[in-house]
Amino acid sequence: MVRVIPCLDVLPEGVVKGRNFQNLRRVGDAVELASRYDAEGADELVFLDVGATVEGRSPLTAVLEAVSRRVFLPVTAGGGVRSLREIEAYLAAGADKVAVNTAAVKRPSLLAEAASRFGSQCVVLAMDVRRRETGWEVCVEAGRRPTGLDAEAWAREAEARGAGELLVTSMDRDGTGLGFDTDLYGRLARAVRLPLVASGGAGEASHFAQAARAGATGLLAAGLFHGSALTIPDLKKRLRADGIEVRP
């Protein structure tokens, strides 16, 4: 079944949202929003500390702990992961899976080490990508630094090293409401056999079905849910009508 996944991008001041990874503004409280999504029937929750890596600080695990005390959804947490220590801290704070981005690019062996210690099922490779003339390029440090890495090649390497899932954000579509980059997700779905969470660009219910048909097994959105422009029950009803199997 396809999973519907709200995302909480967090900073010390609360949950934030922007466009193309820029102009972040506060949109709510992490615990309140997570509780609402739990009640609405979300399948999972993604919790991303979007400032930890750039600011060089420890992740906001206290906020995750507060969320975990209130909700019972599977949670993927990420941001500021530099070593096995941060992965363990996120798991101890209530995460079921941990997303690794910049640190994995800098030291790909971290994926294998994490999979060996904690199991592939909780190791998620997060990729922030920009479209180029030929394919998509991976960017790190909250999208600020291009790496020259091809997204498909990096996804295949991550799978071989033990990652259990991909969380892929189109920086070009982020916050635009123009729809998911279905070309991107179709290419990645053909390149690897991992579960694939699509992120970036959701603007209406029809966009989610398009991403699912392209090969995404998880459908992530933030601003569209935060402002209640689309509720999770309404989205699931529309997905079922479009022939996409979702959990009740």
Side-chain angles (χ1 to χ4, degrees):
M1 294 185 183
V2 170
R3 297 164 289 154
V4 174
I5 308 172
C7 179
L8 305 179
D9 292 331
V10 297
L11 288 174
E13 59 265 33
V15 178
V16 296
K17 191 69 186 79
R19 179 178 173 130
N20 305 127
F21 284 41
Q22 302 293 321
N23 303 316
L24 299 178
R25 67 189 188 283
R26 188 182 188 278
V27 295
D29 175 80
V31 175
E32 291 177 1
L33 285 171
S35 298
R36 190 179 98 200
Y37 298 140
D38 190 8
E40 287 185 355
D43 298 305
E44 297 184 15
L45 188 71
V46 167
F47 175 100
L48 298 176
D49 184 336
V50 294
T53 296
V54 174
E55 297 167 12
R57 59 168 170 77
S58 298
L60 296 170
T61 52
V63 181
L64 177 58
E65 288 174 352
V67 168
S68 298
R69 285 194 294 268
R70 288 280 296 274
V71 306
F72 300 95
L73 299 172
V75 177
T76 297
V81 174
R82 300 171 184 84
S83 66
L84 296 179
R85 178 182 300 175
E86 286 81 21
I87 296 176
E88 189 166 30
Y90 269 132
L91 295 173
D96 299 276
K97 297 180 281 188
V98 178
V100 186
N101 186 345
T102 301
V105 171
K106 291 181 176 179
R107 190 169 69 85
S109 60
L110 177 62
L111 294 172
E113 293 168 8
S116 176
R117 181 165 176 179
F118 305 111
S120 290
Q121 81 286 343
C122 75
V123 180
V124 178
L125 177 70
M127 290 196 293
D128 301 326
V129 305
R130 285 192 185 280
R131 185 184 284 266
R132 300 303 187 206
E133 288 187 9
T134 56
W136 290 263
E137 180 182 16
V138 176
C139 298
V140 295
E141 297 175 6
R144 289 167 169 80
R145 184 170 69 82
T147 66
L149 274 178
D150 174 74
E152 287 183 72
W154 179 221
R156 286 192 291 266
E157 180 177 351
E159 181 178 37
R161 289 182 179 272
E165 185 172 57
L166 299 180
L167 168 57
V168 185
T169 301
S170 167
M171 296 177 63
D172 306 296
R173 299 293 183 94
D174 177 67
T176 65
L178 298 175
F180 295 100
D181 188 340
T182 53
D183 291 340
L184 167 64
Y185 300 114
R187 290 273 287 272
L188 290 173
R190 291 189 293 272
V192 299
R193 300 176 66 182
L194 299 177
L196 171 61
V197 178
S199 168
E204 59 184 53
S206 64
H207 294 158
F208 293 84
Q210 292 165 8
R213 293 191 184 103
T217 59
L219 307 172
L220 183 149
L224 191 63
F225 293 146
H226 297 339
S228 297
L230 179 65
T231 68
I232 291 168
D234 286 345
L235 173 59
K236 288 192 171 187
K237 181 179 179 180
R238 175 63 182 272
L239 286 169
R240 283 191 292 270
D242 286 340
I244 306 299
E245 190 174 5
V246 293
R247 293 177 177 86

